Amino acid sequence: MTDGPRPTDSTRPTDGIRFDSVTVAYDGTVVLDSLDLTVEPGEVMALLGPSGSGKTTALRAVAGFVRPVSGRVFLGGRDVTDLPPYRRGVGMVVQQYALFPHLRVEDNVAFGLKAHKVPRGEIRTRVAEALEMVGMEAYARRHPRELSGGQQQRVAIARALAIRPGVLLLDEPLSALDARLRSGMLAELARLHRELPEVSILYVTHDQVEALTLADRIAVMNKARLRACGTPRELYRAPADEFTASFVGGANLLPVTVGEQGVFFGDRALQVSGAVQRSATTVCVRPHLVGLGAGPNQLAGVVREIQWRGATHRLHVDVDGHRVMADVPELKAPPAHGDAVTLHFAPEDATLLAAGVTDV
C-alpha cells in the first residue's frame, strides 16, 4: 500500500470545517438556518436528516457551490466563504458518480489533477496511488460503462482523493447502490478513514445505519436547522428530543405525565432511573430494550403486527392506543395478530424527554 493522499497547498493536515451562523436562502426561502457546527480535523461528521432538512445545502456551502446570505465558512481556520470551489482544496463525491462516460477510469481520476495543472509525471503517480487505495488499479483502462455501480463509486472516490484534499465531502454516496453493494462500500469507506486519519470528512445521508457505522459524530438536521449533535452512542442512548430519538434508530415514544407521585403513562406508574424533570412529557425506549413477558414497567397490550427478521421478531403492540415496538429473540411460537401480550422494560433503559425541546 502506498502512502495516503496528502493535502494540496490550499489545505493542511489540520484542516477542519467550521460553520459560523451560516444561513442559505433561495428566492427568500431559508433552506439552511443559522448553522453553527464544527468538524474537527480528521473527524467524520455525518449530517443526518430527511429530504429538505438542509444537510446537502450545508455540504454545498463548504464546497463553494452555494453562497450564504449570512455567516461564514472556515476550512482549517481559513475563511473560504468568498473563494471559488477550485481554490478550496476539497474533494467531493456525489450520489450519481458524475463520471465522464467518454473518459477511461484513469482519465476520470486525473481530471482534477489536470485542472490543478499538476505535472504530467506526478499525475500518473497520484492516479495509480488513488486507484490502489480504492482497489481499482486493475480497471484503469476501462470506461465507466464497463463497471458496476459500486466500482463506479470507487472511481469517484479515487478522483476525489487524487487531489489530496484536507476535506472530503460525501453527498449520499451510497444511495444509488443496492443493499449488498452498500454494505460493502460502507466497509471500504471505514477502511479509507482508518488509512487517511488526517482527512476531515463531512458525510451527508438520510440512512441511520450509514451514520451510525461511519461517523465519529452525527449532526441531526430537520427543517433547515440543526437539532442535535453528538456521538452515535450519545444520540442513541440519550436523544435530545423526539425527532432525534425517532431518526437515530427506532424508538418507542410514550406520552407521560410527571408529578409529585412519579412518572405515569396513562394510569400506569413507570420506574425510571436518574433525575426526573417535571417538564418531561415523553419517555423514549428503544425496541430492542423492550422484553416480552412480566418484568419492571409492565405494559399489557394486543399484537397488531409481527415481523420475522431472521434472528429476531419485531412485535407491534397496541397499548391503550399507542404503538409499542419490541424486538425480541426469534420466537419458536410467536403470538398471532390480536393476541394479548405483556411487555416490559428496565428503568435504566427509559429516557425522559422534556416538553418544548421538539420545537427547536
Side-chain angles (χ1 to χ4, degrees):
M1 177 66 71
T2 58
D3 290 338
R6 295 292 181 261
T8 63
D9 292 339
S10 60
T11 62
R12 301 190 304 273
T14 55
D15 274 0
I17 306 168
R18 181 163 65 89
F19 298 88
D20 184 4
S21 298
V22 173
T23 296
V24 177
Y26 299 135
D27 297 326
T29 300
V30 174
V31 294
L32 186 65
D33 190 1
S34 302
L35 178 61
D36 287 304
L37 183 68
T38 297
V39 182
E40 300 295 342
E43 180 179 38
V44 178
M45 174 74 79
L47 295 181
L48 178 67
S51 297
S53 61
K55 56 188 188 298
T56 293
T57 300
L59 191 89
R60 290 172 63 83
V62 176
F65 298 145
V66 298
R67 182 177 175 81
V69 296
S70 63
R72 312 300 291 177
V73 177
F74 296 85
L75 295 178
R78 184 171 60 111
D79 188 342
V80 299
T81 312
D82 299 321
L83 292 182
Y86 68 88
R87 291 189 56 195
R88 299 194 180 197
V90 302
M92 187 169 181
V93 179
V94 298
Q95 55 184 303
Q96 296 298 333
Y97 321 136
L99 300 178
F100 297 107
H102 63 289
L103 297 181
R104 298 182 188 275
V105 164
E106 58 188 0
D107 295 319
N108 267 283
V109 176
F111 184 84
L113 297 171
K114 293 177 180 178
H116 283 85
K117 301 187 184 303
V118 174
R120 182 176 300 178
E122 187 176 349
I123 288 177
R124 288 195 297 269
T125 299
R126 289 204 197 180
V127 168
E129 178 185 76
L131 287 174
E132 182 182 358
M133 289 202 71
V134 299
M136 291 295 292
E137 62 269 29
Y139 299 85
R141 299 292 295 168
R142 294 193 183 184
H143 286 88
R145 64 178 178 273
E146 300 174 283
L147 305 177
S148 69
Q151 290 171 331
Q152 290 184 56
Q153 196 60 294
R154 288 170 186 255
V155 174
I157 293 171
R159 181 176 58 189
L161 295 176
I163 65 170
R164 297 177 175 173
V167 170
L168 181 61
L169 307 176
L170 302 175
D171 187 7
E172 303 201 37
L174 310 184
S175 63
L177 305 180
D178 61 36
R180 183 182 63 81
L181 287 175
R182 190 179 303 119
S183 177
M185 282 302 300
L186 272 175
E188 287 300 310
L189 288 173
R191 178 185 62 80
L192 281 173
H193 179 223
R194 292 192 298 270
E195 296 182 4
L196 299 170
E198 75 277 16
V199 178
S200 305
I201 299 177
L202 190 61
Y203 189 101
V204 165
T205 183
H206 62 269
D207 188 285
Q208 303 168 10
V209 173
E210 291 179 19
L212 293 170
T213 300
L214 289 176
D216 298 310
R217 287 191 299 151
I218 299 172
V220 181
M221 307 284 295
N222 191 40
K223 296 181 179 178
R225 303 193 69 185
L226 177 66
R227 300 294 293 261
C229 185
T231 67
R233 184 178 295 270
E234 288 169 346
L235 296 182
Y236 189 81
R237 293 193 170 181
D241 56 36
E242 291 185 22
F243 179 82
T244 302
S246 61
F247 212 84
V248 182
N252 294 303
L253 301 172
L254 305 177
V256 296
T257 56
V258 179
E260 295 181 358
Q261 303 302 315
V263 179
F264 288 84
F265 168 52
D267 59 358
R268 297 174 175 84
L270 299 181
Q271 304 172 43
V272 297
S273 61
V276 176
Q277 295 184 352
R278 296 291 293 271
S279 59
T281 60
T282 306
V283 67
C284 169
V285 186
R286 299 297 182 181
H288 75 280
L289 299 174
V290 178
L292 185 61
N297 292 324
Q298 194 164 295
L299 304 175
V302 177
V303 175
R304 295 305 182 201
E305 185 179 352
I306 184 166
Q307 301 169 346
W308 178 67
R309 299 190 170 193
T312 63
H313 276 100
R314 168 164 285 189
L315 307 180
H316 295 255
V317 179
D318 185 320
V319 179
D320 295 342
H322 299 281
R323 185 185 68 167
V324 178
M325 297 177 291
D327 291 340
V328 298
E330 184 182 13
L331 301 168
K332 292 183 178 180
H337 182 275
D339 283 355
V341 295
T342 299
L343 306 174
H344 68 273
F345 57 89
E348 60 270 23
D349 293 331
T351 300
L352 287 173
L353 304 179
V357 178
T358 57
D359 296 327
V360 170

